[in-house]
Every structure is written in C-alpha cells, then in structure tokens.
Amino acid sequence: MCKLSTGEIAYQIEWPGLTREEKAEGWLLPCVAEARSDLELDVADAIALHGD
C-alpha cells in the first residue's frame, strides 16, 4: 500500500480492497493498479536508488 502524490491510476479489479476513506486520502494498492499517466508515489521505508 502506498500513497499517490501525483498522477492517475485505474484498477484492474472493481473493488481493490481499500476503504472509502483510504481511497479519498490517496492510498492505493499498486499490485492491482495501472498507471494512466506519470506517477509520483509516497512509499514508506523506500530506499532511493538514484542517490537523492
């Protein structure tokens, strides 16, 4: 589970298992989401691979 900062996604399934509140706050499940634009995600405990 991560948070969408910018961009647009669509889900591969009708109801991806998030509460209405989680969806309203921008949370998403990337395992069942498809990017519809460039995305910026907030991922807890992520490690930057490019050195920033």
Side-chain angles (χ1 to χ4, degrees):
M1 193 162 142
C2 60
K3 206 165 197 181
L4 181 64
S5 293
T6 60
E8 185 177 331
I9 58 113
Y11 284 105
Q12 299 173 7
I13 59 175
E14 188 172 327
W15 186 250
L18 298 170
T19 66
R20 292 182 199 278
E21 293 81 14
E22 289 168 334
K23 287 178 77 173
E25 291 173 5
W27 291 100
L28 66 98
L29 297 172
C31 59
V32 292
E34 294 180 355
R36 298 295 181 171
S37 68
D38 289 339
L39 303 177
E40 185 174 319
L41 303 174
D42 289 331
V43 182
D45 300 321
I47 299 169
L49 300 176
H50 50 77
D52 290 345

